[in-house]
Amino acid sequence: MLFALICKDKPNHLQVRLDARPDHVAFLNELNAKGALKFAGPFLDADGKPDGSLVVIEAADAAAAQAIASTDPYAKASLFESVDIRPWNWVFNNPASA
């Protein structure tokens, strides 16, 4: 099942994001290599600076999605103000359906 991780950064935590980014990218690369990462990228503020993340993963259930989310280096660095984990159905432009 797919899950969308909708993450909002804490205010004034851009440097935390930048500092943790190399480990976060390695984490996403590892998920990608396992086939669990479907897509990911940052939300941007009005100035074009990252202020959150959207990560879509495949996981067995909500508990497994939560476990993955909690091991993200951004989460470990206390970057996020909130993380909403929602089951998601990829209907349009899903490469798996092509």
Side-chain angles (χ1 to χ4, degrees):
M1 173 176 255
L2 296 179
F3 291 88
L5 313 179
I6 304 163
C7 311
K8 182 178 177 183
D9 293 3
K10 292 177 182 172
N12 304 312
H13 273 62
L14 180 58
Q15 192 58 52
V16 173
R17 174 179 278 273
L18 296 175
D19 292 345
R21 188 173 191 282
D23 291 336
H24 171 72
V25 170
F27 168 77
L28 292 179
N29 282 330
E30 184 178 316
L31 287 178
N32 197 44
K34 293 177 184 176
L37 178 66
K38 299 307 172 187
F39 60 84
F43 290 112
L44 304 175
D45 67 13
D47 296 323
K49 295 197 170 33
D51 67 350
S53 299
L54 172 60
V55 179
V56 175
I57 58 171
E58 187 165 358
D61 54 32
Q66 176 62 52
I68 291 169
S70 67
T71 61
D72 184 330
Y74 280 169
K76 289 181 175 182
S78 297
L79 171 63
F80 298 133
E81 177 177 272
S82 64
V83 177
D84 190 16
I85 300 174
R86 309 246 346 234
W88 188 68
N89 184 21
W90 193 345
V91 176
F92 290 96
N93 298 321
N94 182 340
S97 300

